[in-house]
Amino acid sequence: MLLLISPDGVEEALDCAKAAHHLDIVDVKKPDEGSLGANFPWVIREIRQAVPADKPVSATVGDVPYKPGTVAQAALGAAVSGATYIKVGLYGCTTPDQGVDVMRAVVRAVKEHNPDALVVASGYADAHRIGCVNPLAVPDVAARSGADAAMLDTAVKDGTRLFDHLPPDVCAEFVRLAHACGLLAALAGSVRQDDLGELTRIGTDIVGVRGAVCEGGDRNAGRIRPHLVAAFRAEMDRHDREHAAGLPAGR
């Protein structure tokens, strides 16, 4: 399982750089603009320059509307700015076909610029609260559009978490559907250390966190700290070892 950490700016990215050997992907977002809020192109560039060259940078392009042209331009901007993972939150897509329309435009825009970039279609575990596409439809949307990964996050950051909206067995089905389509499966949404047993058990490829590695567990007021990143990675590694040894999750 890969660890994706989401700093909100260059200063936090420098803290991520100090803990670079504990993480796998540095994710650029702007939390005050939403769950997958897009940051500025110059911030993506500066973060790309701040973290080690061997650490890929991902960037969110927003909790997007059903406007394929607008979203394609935003995605290309993220790719041009140095991101190699491009994450799109299908916030305004109410049907799978709308999601496919948006993601096909994104895939074309990004892949024509950089064929090696990875495009991520992201849905929301709490889709029922905002009226967007069903979470279990996201892997099919990603596959039909030519994306590389399917992801779930939470849209409303009110203290509820991924497993509050989708129990582990439903998340396991999401992962199974993604893998059946040849996609990476990423899960996020106020994930904590005590979720890692289940996330490991169900075969999650990428786990995305912010609050869990911020002071006080606060994704907005807290700041990412290298020692918290190290502690989170240590717990990930422990669960990975136990899973490989056949021990039950959640020990």
Side-chain angles (χ1 to χ4, degrees):
M1 191 158 61
L2 301 179
L3 176 58
L4 177 149
I5 302 288
S6 301
D8 66 359
V10 178
E11 287 189 9
E12 282 194 340
L14 292 172
D15 285 330
C16 287
K18 295 174 185 175
H21 60 293
H22 297 297
L23 58 88
D24 301 292
I25 304 166
V26 177
D27 180 55
V28 186
K29 64 170 59 171
K30 199 167 183 288
D32 63 357
E33 291 195 13
S35 171
L36 296 173
N39 215 318
F40 302 106
W42 51 90
V43 173
I44 299 173
R45 287 197 301 270
E46 290 172 6
I47 289 177
R48 173 64 280 175
Q49 294 164 2
V51 301
D54 64 339
K55 296 297 177 183
V57 167
S58 75
T60 55
V61 301
D63 298 306
V64 306
Y66 175 51
K67 293 185 176 180
T70 298
V71 181
Q73 286 207 36
L76 178 59
V80 168
S81 300
T84 50
Y85 285 75
I86 312 298
K87 293 163 54 184
V88 180
L90 298 173
Y91 192 97
C93 296
T94 59
T95 67
D97 285 345
Q98 288 184 351
V100 172
D101 286 346
V102 168
M103 293 309 305
R104 279 181 177 160
V106 168
V107 168
R108 178 172 178 176
V110 169
K111 299 286 189 177
E112 285 183 354
H113 172 71
N114 178 8
D116 295 326
L118 298 176
V119 177
V120 183
S122 184
Y124 303 89
D126 53 348
H128 59 282
R129 299 205 285 181
I130 58 173
C132 70
V133 66
N134 186 293
L136 292 182
V138 174
D140 184 61
V141 168
R144 287 166 58 196
S145 61
D148 303 283
M151 179 176 181
L152 290 180
D153 204 327
T154 49
V156 183
K157 299 298 185 181
D158 61 355
T160 59
R161 302 160 54 242
L162 174 70
F163 290 153
D164 291 332
H165 300 288
L166 292 181
D169 286 349
V170 178
C171 289
E173 177 65 3
F174 175 87
V175 172
R176 187 195 68 77
L177 290 169
H179 289 169
C181 294
L183 304 168
L184 295 170
L187 293 172
S190 301
V191 169
R192 300 190 305 221
Q193 286 192 22
D194 56 9
D195 298 321
L196 288 171
E198 290 290 358
L199 292 170
T200 302
R201 177 185 68 82
I202 66 178
T204 310
D205 297 302
I206 302 170
V207 58
V209 301
R210 174 171 171 77
V213 295
C214 286
E215 293 171 308
D218 190 327
R219 74 188 295 271
N220 294 313
R223 177 167 168 167
I224 291 174
R225 293 301 185 191
H227 74 279
L228 296 176
V229 176
F232 196 90
R233 166 61 77 178
E235 190 68 0
M236 282 180 64
D237 290 344
R238 181 178 74 82
H239 282 288
D240 184 59
R241 289 191 302 269
E242 293 184 353
H243 182 70
L247 298 175
R251 267 176 50 89

